[in-house]
Amino acid sequence: KAGVTQTPRYLIKTRGQQVTLSCSPISGHRSVSWYQQTPGQGLQFLFEYFSETQRNKGNFPGRFSGRQFSNSRSEMNVSTLELGDSALYLCASSRDRKNTGELFFGEGSRLTVL
Amino acid sequence: AQSVTQLDSHVSVSEGTPVLLRCNYSSSYSPSLFWYVQHPNKGLQLLLKYTSAATLVKGINGFEAEFKKSETSFHLTKPSAHMSDAAEYFCVVSGDTGNQFYFGTGTSLTVIP
């Protein structure tokens, strides 16, 4: 079956702009999580959505937001981009919210902010 | 609070020799623990997981890890390294609820032919 699909794979923005990233989870998976990966900070949890509701949120400013649709697809938005937002943004899906479960990751969206 | 420490940022081994990637964790409860691998320009893939069953966990591609509660460790091992094992490895601990997980900073494994 198809894996987790993230679009776009690469994008370049300038400071002050906003960006929207999309994630389509594996069919049947209802939980979608987002992570930011940078060389200095590693992978940091952004937020988790399940049944169209945000269930957990990491320690990021309000410029980072997300949503989940009824088909479980998710989007995340970053407004007023800063240079430090340059990163690989990874989406992960899982069937449910059991913390013993496996996360299935997409290949990521690489954002460069100039 | 949960945290994960990967003790080595880089490990280099010769092909055919053993691999040891070290991970210590801190948790206020009994967590689930995972190892993920990330090949260049790829997403992360689960290698193995510990969820309070057997303390020695076997994963894919010949990797295994042992959960040692007394040492709060979950080290990843493989008897014989292959060139295809060269990648970034992440140790992960679960949060107390839902799908919130805490990642270590990663260990980059180089395999020398």
Side-chain angles (χ1 to χ4, degrees):
Chain A
K1 56 184 176 182
V4 177
T5 303
Q6 292 188 244
T7 58
R9 289 292 314 281
Y10 303 90
L11 63 167
I12 300 173
K13 294 285 187 178
T14 56
R15 280 182 298 173
Q17 287 187 311
Q18 74 166 22
V19 66
T20 299
L21 308 178
S22 178
C23 173
S24 293
I26 291 172
S27 178
H29 286 195
R30 297 169 62 194
S31 172
V32 174
S33 304
W34 289 89
Y35 289 82
Q36 182 195 63
Q37 185 177 20
T38 58
Q41 300 293 323
L43 276 94
Q44 294 186 288
F45 173 79
L46 281 157
F47 26 64
E48 179 216 352
Y49 286 87
F50 183 85
S51 294
E52 302 178 65
T53 303
Q54 186 180 92
R55 303 300 178 129
N56 279 310
K57 183 172 169 53
N59 188 26
F60 278 82
R63 300 185 297 107
F64 291 81
S65 63
R67 58 179 175 169
Q68 186 181 35
F69 302 95
S70 58
N71 62 357
S72 294
R73 189 178 71 86
S74 178
E75 289 181 348
M76 66 163 283
N77 184 77
V78 187
S79 62
T80 318
L81 284 166
E82 301 177 359
L83 295 179
D85 297 333
S86 294
L88 181 66
Y89 290 87
L90 291 165
C91 167
S93 77
S94 62
R95 186 172 300 279
D96 50 38
R97 302 194 69 235
K98 296 178 182 178
N99 60 7
T100 57
E102 176 179 356
L103 295 177
F104 292 82
F105 284 85
E107 295 188 337
S109 292
R110 185 169 294 282
L111 170 65
T112 301
V113 182
L114 302 177
Chain B
Q2 294 73 249
S3 67
V4 179
T5 302
Q6 292 185 241
L7 299 169
D8 306 291
S9 58
H10 299 279
V11 170
S12 185
V13 301
S14 296
E15 190 176 16
T17 64
V19 176
L20 170 64
L21 305 183
R22 298 182 294 165
C23 172
N24 286 351
Y25 71 94
S26 173
S27 178
S28 55
Y29 51 87
S30 296
S32 296
L33 294 160
F34 309 79
W35 276 96
Y36 281 82
V37 61
Q38 185 179 32
H39 290 276
N41 299 314
K42 296 290 186 182
L44 284 81
Q45 179 186 16
L46 179 69
L47 272 179
L48 49 79
K49 66 178 181 180
Y50 166 78
T51 58
S52 75
T55 56
L56 182 62
V57 181
K58 294 188 183 299
I60 62 173
N61 300 333
F63 284 94
E64 62 181 38
E66 185 172 9
F67 173 71
K68 292 187 176 180
K69 186 175 181 178
S70 61
E71 299 176 9
T72 61
S73 69
F74 190 56
H75 300 336
L76 181 70
T77 61
K78 182 173 180 178
S80 176
H82 294 166
M83 294 299 295
S84 60
D85 295 329
E88 189 87 12
Y89 291 80
F90 294 91
C91 182
V92 183
V93 63
S94 63
D96 55 353
T97 60
N99 277 339
Q100 185 166 2
F101 297 88
Y102 298 86
F103 284 71
T105 52
T107 298
S108 177
L109 176 65
T110 298
V111 181
I112 303 167

